[in-house]
Amino acid sequence: MIESATIQNKLDVYSVRQQFPILNREVKGKPLVYLDNAATSQKPQVVIDALVNYYTDYNANVHRGIHTLAEEATMAFERTRDAVQQFINAESREQVIYTRGTTEGINLVSYTWGRQNIKAGDEIIVSTIEHHSNIVPWQILCEEKGAKLRVIPINDKGELLMEEFEKLLNPKTKLVSIVHASNALGTINPVKKIIDAAHKVGALVLIDGAQSTVHLDIDVQEMDCDFFVFSSHKLYGPTGIGILYGKKDLLDAMPPFQGGGEMIKEVTFEKTTYNDLPYKFEAGTPNIADTIALKAALDFVNEIGKEKIRRHEEELLAYATVQLGQIPGLRIIGRAKEKVSVISFVVDSLHPQDIGILLDNRGIAVRTGHHCAEPCMRFFEIPGTVRASFAMYNTKEEIDELVNGLQKAIKMLS
Ligand code: PMP
């Protein structure tokens, strides 16, 4: 009884793999081993079909048309909003704003809420392990306004020093903008604690969910974050579409991001009135096809079940940590207690890029470099790492291939 329940709850990775056509291809004469999922995940057939179907069957602009194709396109486009609302448990669909991705979501908040609310002397807190897209927009804002960017330090496992964070909080803190799961190290940050502490001093919190949304259950209401951003392409969906969630009163009070069609109620040369949420932030013809296909990705993930996927990825991470840990000279960077399925490492004095090239010769795709997290690399005093990141379709055999490929690469380079 227990055994069959366990089997039922286990992800059938081989049947999952069949749904990703790209996994059948070869690279340099070898079967592709795709371990660069934190950069972008591969797309299942249902997502590819959703894109093709839109262009084949009902390509039309959304919202203003009265003809059948426009109505079909609009309905599909708006259905994604409902699916996202459910996926992150937002209070209402109006709080789900379409963006180009995580980067644009953060910039939207910095250019609208930030410019309206940040003044000289205010403080914005980020952490040492942020992606550049959650550093640079705040630096630009701070420079423009005479505000100060403050940084939460980390320990050598890659975990935030929470006592130091609490010391940074003060009445001048207006925003804490923090990554939920680090793309460079895999660290999962204690966002609930961060949010509660920040709210106590009256600061808002933006959560960068680029890496967490694919792995963890996201409940923005329970988290009580003020803003949450993520990208579809790391979640088995297409590139070019992402989501900004915000609390309604904040979004209502924020000025528009870009001006143009769709974001207006009425335009005269004397005065323009802006559209209601979410359209106030969605100027111009949106990315219709990719938005529609995002729903196919969310349905796909929901159907398999996040819990099942997470258990599979945790198994892969644990296995890879043990296997890679046995390679002489290999040092894992980022040993946080709570991690998503990302494993970063360096090997003695070898350059990560040389390792990456030799792995690619064996069909193994990993990422090498600073992972757009230079301050984090600087903390560890390394130019970059080799990073393997796992998705629902990866297998232990692929990790064996990685270990094997690494051992050969190390021999060649040493
Ligand atoms: N934050 C994190 C943690 C990320 O991993 C990424 C993508 N690597 C981003 C932000 C930026 O996402 P995008 O490029 O999709 O806008």
Side-chain angles (χ1 to χ4, degrees):
M1 218 23 213
I2 290 171
E3 209 167 282
S4 76
T6 314
I7 289 165
Q8 264 184 13
N9 284 328
K10 225 171 143 61
L11 183 90
D12 180 355
V13 67
Y14 299 100
S15 91
V16 165
R17 287 180 72 80
Q18 283 171 9
Q19 306 188 52
F20 289 82
I22 205 170
L23 298 179
N24 292 321
R25 72 160 281 181
E26 293 192 339
V27 169
K28 313 255 163 87
K30 306 267 171 20
L32 167 67
V33 174
Y34 187 78
L35 302 176
D36 193 17
N37 296 286
T40 198
S41 63
Q42 297 302 344
K43 319 304 172 202
Q45 188 64 52
V46 282
V47 168
I48 299 165
D49 288 346
L51 290 169
V52 173
N53 289 345
Y54 165 71
Y55 286 121
T56 312
D57 294 339
Y58 59 102
N59 172 52
N61 210 332
V62 288
H63 293 142
R64 286 168 304 276
I66 46 113
H67 59 81
T68 302
L69 297 192
E71 269 177 23
E72 287 177 9
T74 302
M75 272 167 57
F77 179 79
E78 288 300 332
R79 269 198 297 269
T80 297
R81 213 184 295 276
D82 299 324
V84 172
Q85 182 198 346
Q86 282 178 20
F87 202 77
I88 62 172
N89 194 31
E91 297 91 319
S92 68
R93 67 191 311 283
E94 289 74 26
Q95 290 162 269
V96 174
I97 316 282
Y98 293 144
T99 64
R100 219 156 40 82
T102 305
T103 305
E104 191 173 76
I106 296 171
N107 276 280
L108 190 159
V109 176
S110 76
Y111 277 91
T112 59
W113 178 86
R115 268 153 192 76
Q116 194 175 50
N117 291 283
I118 297 295
K119 51 186 191 324
D122 285 346
E123 295 182 3
I124 294 173
I125 298 179
V126 295
S127 85
T128 309
I129 57 173
E130 297 310 317
H131 189 279
H132 295 163
S133 63
N134 196 27
I135 299 173
V136 184
W138 306 120
Q139 269 175 334
I140 294 171
L141 178 65
C142 286
E143 221 162 89
E144 193 180 305
K145 297 286 186 175
K148 194 167 175 193
L149 192 67
R150 309 204 66 186
V151 183
I152 310 171
I154 55 172
N155 63 22
D156 58 11
K157 289 184 184 155
E159 296 166 324
L160 300 191
L161 295 178
M162 288 298 283
E163 325 78 66
E164 298 301 317
F165 166 59
E166 299 208 2
K167 281 188 218 155
L168 287 177
L169 287 170
N170 71 77
K172 284 185 282 183
T173 314
K174 291 295 175 309
L175 178 75
V176 178
S177 192
I178 209 86
V179 72
H180 196 174
S182 151
N183 63 311
L185 309 177
T187 310
I188 300 173
N189 284 329
V191 287
K192 183 71 186 128
K193 278 193 189 143
I194 292 170
I195 291 163
D196 291 347
H199 283 170
K200 279 195 187 126
V201 298
L204 301 187
V205 183
L206 182 149
I207 300 294
D208 169 356
Q211 295 293 336
S212 62
T213 311
V214 63
H215 300 294
L216 309 176
D217 287 327
I218 303 298
D219 184 332
V220 289
Q221 293 187 67
E222 194 200 301
M223 220 189 279
D224 197 26
C225 53
D226 299 287
F227 300 107
F228 188 90
V229 289
F230 66 96
S231 305
S232 142
H233 70 95
K234 299 191 195 269
L235 187 56
Y236 308 106
T239 52
I241 173 71
I243 302 296
L244 162 68
Y245 156 86
K247 284 192 177 156
K248 189 160 182 316
D249 54 337
L250 294 170
L251 294 174
D252 273 331
M254 278 153 57
F257 180 36
Q258 295 178 333
E262 192 68 29
M263 52 73 71
I264 50 89
K265 255 189 190 141
E266 195 183 7
V267 179
T268 67
F269 282 114
E270 290 68 43
K271 185 168 172 55
T272 289
T273 49
Y274 304 130
N275 208 339
D276 298 324
L277 292 175
Y279 309 110
K280 181 172 85 173
F281 294 109
E282 295 178 1
T285 297
N287 183 352
I288 304 164
D290 294 313
T291 306
I292 290 171
L294 168 59
K295 179 174 184 296
L298 298 180
D299 290 348
F300 179 79
V301 168
N302 284 335
E303 211 163 289
I304 295 172
K306 263 188 151 180
E307 176 67 27
K308 228 186 223 183
I309 298 170
R310 186 160 58 245
R311 270 203 306 272
H312 174 71
E313 290 169 344
E314 278 169 2
E315 242 179 66
L316 294 176
L317 178 67
Y319 184 71
T321 305
V322 171
Q323 297 304 314
L324 292 174
Q326 286 169 4
I327 297 180
L330 185 147
R331 181 160 62 102
I332 293 174
I333 305 292
R335 288 207 164 255
K337 211 160 144 237
E338 302 284 337
K339 276 181 73 169
V340 292
S341 51
V342 166
I343 186 159
S344 250
F345 57 87
V346 290
V347 184
D348 280 343
S349 55
L350 303 184
H351 200 286
Q353 204 167 322
D354 294 337
I355 296 175
I357 291 166
L358 290 179
L359 289 176
D360 183 58
N361 285 340
R362 305 176 68 82
I364 304 168
V366 292
R367 179 125 315 222
T368 61
H370 54 58
H371 316 296
C372 296
E374 283 187 18
C376 175
M377 297 296 121
R378 210 159 283 132
F379 171 85
F380 287 102
E381 296 177 343
I382 49 175
T385 71
V386 182
R387 182 188 70 188
S389 48
F390 310 118
M392 63 161 93
Y393 41 71
N394 289 124
T395 64
K396 286 187 180 168
E397 291 80 30
E398 289 181 312
I399 293 170
D400 293 339
E401 280 296 316
L402 171 68
V403 170
N404 192 17
L406 269 171
Q407 280 164 335
K408 297 227 162 72
I410 292 167
K411 219 182 242 172
M412 277 186 77
L413 293 168
S414 300

